[in-house]
Amino acid sequence: MKSRLILFIILTVISYSSRSQVRVEPPSWWAGMKCQKLQLMVHAENISETKPVFNYPGLTMESVVHVENPNYLFINLKLATDIKPGNFNIEFEKGKRVIATYSYEINQRKTDSVLFQGFDNSDVIYLLMPDRFANGDPSNDDVEGMLEKANRSNPSGRHGGDIKGIVDHLDYFVEIGVTALWINPLLENNMPEYSYHGYAITDYYKVDPRFGTNQDYQNLVSKAHEKGIKIIMDMVANHAGTGYYWHDDLPMQDWYNQWPDDTRSNFRGTAQIDPHAAGKDYDKMVKGWFDSTMADLNQHNEFMARFIIQNTIWWIEYLGLDGIRQDTYQYAYKDFMAEWMKRILYEYPDYNVVGEVWLNYPPMTAYWLDNESNLDGYRSHLTNVFDFPLTYAVDKAFNESEGWDTGLFRLYEILTQDYLYSNPQDIVVFSDNHDGDRFYTKMNEDIRKFKMGMIFYATIRGIPHFYYGGEILMTGREHDGHGYIREDFPGGWPGDEANAFTKDGRTPQQQEAFSFTSRLLNWRKNNKAVQYGKLTQYLPENNVYVYFRHNEEGSVMVMLNNAEEERSVDLLRFEENLKGYSKGKSVMTRQSFDNLDRITLQGKSALIVELGN
Ligand SMILES: [Ca+2]
Ligand SMILES: [Ca+2]
């Protein structure tokens, strides 16, 4: 009797543990999605020996697919258009026994999610690295089961920043005048080191507990929306951290792009667009691993492809996201990325995704922004790209004197190449980001050049993005290590010496940069001509570059003087854009111009003039 009881307890424990270990992804779904198909990936020991059974009106099991590894099952489902939200159990039967159960949820799709608008030219994006921005909850700095512990003295370690730290500073973003946050990945990175940056994801469906929970991310989005701030999620389709549960238990061998030895990408994105590319170079670019700790995902495996597409849709719907930044865009198969984009736009026709295509020249960037005129017939369907060529031009232009094709001509010439783009206004322009030298450092810590750059990025065509801490002149060189361009925001940690989130905590120079940025971006927020207006640019002359942003709502004249000396500029040359206007007012200095004959510019300065009568 006693031994039977023990056996019963043992069996119950075994059954209970297998129940708790079954993993089903996506973990939930929605009624009312346009695509009626859903593929569940199920993982548990020897799960392929079971038969999944459920009964739910409007949900049909079309097929169950067994793969190489018996620890996986893929279940193909079809959802009726009128399926109702609700819960049901998926039971995994072996013979007559149910050996595992998973409680599945069908939620009601948000009625307006099909109308999600993404981000656009009215937005200014602020990029922040969550581990380095603010530590709102020191109790989650170290979490049991997570391999890397916080160590703020290690530039490459985790410092403890989290979602609460972002929520706590929503008013700060409003004060700067930014309207959207791009947050580096918040999903679990259970890696022994370098886990802070977030690009070695080890669970595509779970926020890293050192940042918070999935509900915290949801809460961040809704609180941000209340303040008029959009949230852009950073996603990674190309690679996943080797700490992923599947790394030692792959569903099939071609889940990853596998190599006989440790083979890295050659990081040469051109191999995907070069008509002369050698096969070997292409293979290394697309199938090589980004890092030995970041496994290259094979999106030509149909199950992997579905996994990533469904995961993207899941987060958009779960969070009510406003947009996506897709990492390492050109490292994944480009046909897959086009399909991924099409699937997003199928559910959310007005959505926006900005792809990281880190390339030096406009024709290369133009290839990736959805373009009907690519001669090889490729259409990316990608709605936005970053303007790396323009950033490189700015970095040089303000630090050199004018020549035939140097100085301000660099900016002018990059912009002349906009004929290559079907929609140049959809380009995201940026001063700096988490992968390069900080903007103030690139401007040789000259606040005059900093201001010229801020004005340029805020008024040129495209959607501007800035990098956290730029507004308080944070410095750092990539050459010294990534940790030095991703330093903690001063005041983000309890006990910090200075708190640059407040006026009292800023040095006079930080305050000068902060109030300049805040004034500039808050003005931009309400000026339709600078957001949506046509760009007309004039050839730089005598180290002065003038352009206009204009539409039926108004006209803005931007003047940049790249010379060390003051310049008195005769405005007659700009007559075609000044027609109909008789006066102007400087946005930043509030200086009025009672006539539009001549304007004097200080050395190394920029002026925004709103035109009027
Ligand atoms: Ca924390
Ligand atoms: Ca790849």
Side-chain angles (χ1 to χ4, degrees):
M1 199 53 198
K2 203 175 171 189
S3 64
R4 270 198 196 175
L5 181 67
I6 290 167
L7 185 66
F8 174 76
I9 291 168
I10 290 170
L11 283 174
T12 309
V13 168
I14 289 171
S15 157
Y16 178 80
S17 70
S18 70
R19 269 163 211 250
S20 63
Q21 277 168 12
V22 69
R23 187 175 177 126
V24 177
E25 283 163 347
S28 60
W29 204 247
W30 289 270
M33 302 302 285
K34 207 166 155 193
C35 175
Q36 291 173 258
K37 305 269 184 184
L38 176 65
Q39 182 173 75
L40 302 182
M41 178 164 108
V42 184
H43 180 245
E45 203 181 335
N46 289 320
I47 196 72
S48 73
E49 292 171 8
T50 70
K51 193 174 123 194
V53 179
F54 63 84
N55 188 354
Y56 192 76
L59 192 63
T60 320
M61 183 151 56
E62 295 203 309
S63 61
V64 176
V65 184
H66 295 232
V67 293
E68 287 162 33
N69 184 338
N71 297 337
Y72 290 86
L73 272 184
F74 290 85
I75 307 174
N76 289 315
L77 300 174
K78 187 172 182 196
L79 288 81
T81 47
D82 60 353
I83 190 171
K84 300 280 181 290
N87 278 54
F88 61 96
N89 283 340
I90 306 174
E91 295 184 329
F92 296 90
E93 292 180 355
K94 190 173 177 182
K96 289 196 170 142
R97 252 171 5 104
V98 173
I99 66 149
T101 304
Y102 187 90
S103 169
Y104 207 82
E105 260 176 65
I106 300 282
N107 298 300
Q108 183 59 52
R109 185 181 186 187
K110 290 180 192 74
T111 46
D112 61 349
S113 69
V114 72
L115 302 173
F116 281 172
Q117 285 297 312
F119 47 87
D120 74 1
N121 291 93
S122 65
D123 287 308
V124 173
I125 301 168
Y126 186 84
L127 162 63
L128 68 85
M129 184 158 272
D131 181 61
R132 303 297 169 85
F133 185 67
N135 188 0
D137 179 6
S139 78
N140 66 13
D141 294 2
D142 294 321
V143 172
E144 211 188 316
M146 293 290 112
L147 298 172
E148 191 176 8
K149 305 297 173 205
N151 176 6
R152 218 181 151 196
S153 63
N154 175 5
S156 306
R158 294 192 79 93
H159 292 187
D162 47 39
I163 293 175
K164 176 137 193 316
I166 303 170
V167 173
D168 288 347
H169 293 96
L170 289 172
D171 287 331
Y172 178 74
F173 306 126
V174 174
E175 197 186 350
I176 310 174
V178 298
T179 62
L181 303 182
W182 153 24
I183 303 167
N184 291 129
L186 286 163
L187 302 189
E188 185 194 273
N189 272 234
N190 197 8
M191 302 294 289
E193 51 184 4
Y194 301 108
S195 69
Y196 76 96
H197 57 60
Y199 290 101
I201 293 169
T202 57
D203 188 334
Y204 274 110
Y205 280 98
K206 189 177 153 214
V207 165
D208 194 294
R210 292 161 294 187
F211 289 137
T213 62
N214 286 11
Q215 289 73 27
D216 290 335
Y217 202 167
Q218 235 176 4
N219 175 51
L220 163 66
V221 175
S222 60
K223 286 253 166 61
H225 285 175
E226 284 168 23
K227 304 269 181 190
I229 290 175
K230 299 175 182 179
I231 300 290
I232 299 168
M233 183 168 175
D234 204 336
M235 293 189 176
V236 194
N238 179 63
H239 51 260
T242 49
Y244 217 108
Y245 81 86
W246 63 36
H247 183 69
D248 296 318
D249 194 28
L250 294 176
M252 31 216 136
Q253 282 312 301
D254 71 353
W255 192 249
Y256 286 170
N257 284 315
Q258 306 256 25
W259 295 81
D261 50 13
D262 177 16
T263 301
R264 307 288 173 89
S265 173
N266 50 26
F267 307 100
R268 291 281 175 180
T270 45
Q272 281 241 51
I273 56 180
D274 176 8
H276 315 296
K280 200 167 184 175
D281 290 342
Y282 169 85
D283 279 356
K284 274 192 92 169
M285 173 61 205
V286 178
K287 302 178 198 170
W289 287 26
F290 197 79
D291 186 272
S292 59
T293 59
M294 298 178 189
D296 199 64
L297 302 176
N298 174 19
Q299 306 90 3
H300 278 172
N301 173 311
E302 61 176 306
F303 300 98
M304 164 54 70
R306 283 284 285 276
F307 182 90
I308 291 179
I309 290 167
Q310 291 182 163
N311 180 259
T312 299
I313 305 282
W314 192 87
W315 281 110
I316 296 174
E317 201 63 39
Y318 177 80
L319 295 175
L321 277 178
D322 303 291
I324 294 167
R325 179 261 185 185
Q326 179 63 258
D327 186 57
T328 45
Y329 209 85
Q330 36 179 358
Y331 291 77
Y333 296 104
K334 65 183 179 184
D335 57 334
F336 166 74
M337 292 317 296
E339 180 61 24
W340 177 78
M341 271 309 309
K342 274 158 74 175
R343 289 290 304 277
I344 295 171
L345 294 171
Y346 183 68
E347 296 291 352
Y348 314 96
D350 297 317
Y351 214 67
N352 286 81
V353 175
V354 54
E356 184 203 20
V357 284
W358 186 343
L359 291 162
N360 296 344
Y361 303 101
M364 297 176 174
T365 309
Y367 181 89
W368 291 96
L369 183 65
D370 190 30
N371 198 337
E372 289 172 39
S373 51
N374 282 337
L375 292 177
D376 66 0
Y378 179 68
R379 279 200 69 175
S380 68
H381 301 278
L382 180 61
T383 56
N384 306 81
V385 290
F386 292 110
D387 203 338
F388 280 91
L390 189 64
T391 300
Y392 291 138
V394 171
D395 295 348
K396 292 195 179 97
F398 296 154
N399 287 316
E400 67 187 7
S401 55
E402 187 179 283
W404 177 254
D405 52 8
T406 58
L408 296 169
F409 272 99
R410 290 188 192 275
L411 314 184
Y412 174 85
E413 289 196 340
I414 292 288
L415 292 161
T416 59
Q417 295 171 70
D418 276 0
Y419 72 87
L420 293 162
Y421 296 99
S422 34
N423 294 303
Q425 72 275 13
D426 292 338
I427 302 174
V428 175
V429 299
F430 64 101
S431 53
D432 51 349
N433 67 21
H434 62 295
D435 286 322
D437 292 354
R438 278 191 171 271
F439 187 58
Y440 192 47
T441 300
K442 293 190 290 187
M443 295 299 109
N444 293 322
E445 302 192 19
D446 181 339
I447 198 161
R448 299 173 307 163
K449 295 185 208 169
F450 167 83
K451 289 177 179 177
M452 289 171 78
M454 293 302 285
I455 285 184
F456 178 71
Y457 286 117
T459 58
I460 202 63
R461 59 89 177 105
I463 304 163
H465 103 59
F466 298 102
Y467 184 41
Y468 81 97
E471 70 279 10
I472 52 151
L473 304 176
M474 282 174 73
T475 56
R477 276 184 207 287
E478 193 261 340
H479 182 77
D480 298 331
H482 277 150
Y484 294 94
I485 52 174
R486 303 164 178 177
E487 287 183 326
D488 300 346
F489 192 102
W493 275 249
D496 273 1
E497 225 166 89
N499 180 5
F501 286 114
T502 64
K503 192 175 174 181
D504 293 344
R506 295 177 200 127
T507 65
Q509 205 175 35
Q510 283 177 330
Q511 180 56 25
E512 184 183 345
F514 179 85
S515 57
F516 184 88
T517 305
S518 167
R519 181 165 177 79
L520 175 66
L521 301 185
N522 278 293
W523 163 76
R524 191 190 187 280
K525 216 189 253 184
N526 298 305
N527 190 294
K528 297 271 181 265
V530 83
Q531 293 168 1
Y532 300 105
K534 180 179 158 50
L535 168 68
T536 300
Q537 61 170 347
Y538 289 78
L539 281 162
E541 206 175 275
N542 203 16
N543 263 323
V544 173
Y545 173 42
V546 174
Y547 58 87
F548 292 77
R549 300 297 307 278
H550 53 103
N551 61 13
E552 59 287 345
E553 312 233 12
S555 184
V556 173
M557 173 170 67
V558 181
M559 309 178 82
L560 298 164
N561 175 16
N562 201 27
E564 283 293 338
E565 314 77 39
E566 163 182 302
R567 287 275 189 266
S568 173
V569 184
D570 184 344
L571 301 185
L572 192 63
R573 189 159 70 96
F574 317 114
E575 202 180 16
E576 66 181 84
N577 283 90
L578 293 174
K579 226 182 310 171
Y581 295 103
S582 59
K583 288 182 178 151
K585 192 169 185 185
S586 159
V587 170
M588 300 306 294
T589 63
R590 296 189 176 94
Q591 186 189 355
S592 291
F593 302 99
D594 295 332
N595 64 64
L596 296 172
D597 298 342
R598 188 168 275 280
I599 283 181
T600 300
L601 299 166
Q602 301 301 309
K604 288 279 177 198
S605 76
L607 195 65
I608 311 172
V609 182
E610 264 185 297
L611 300 171
N613 284 299

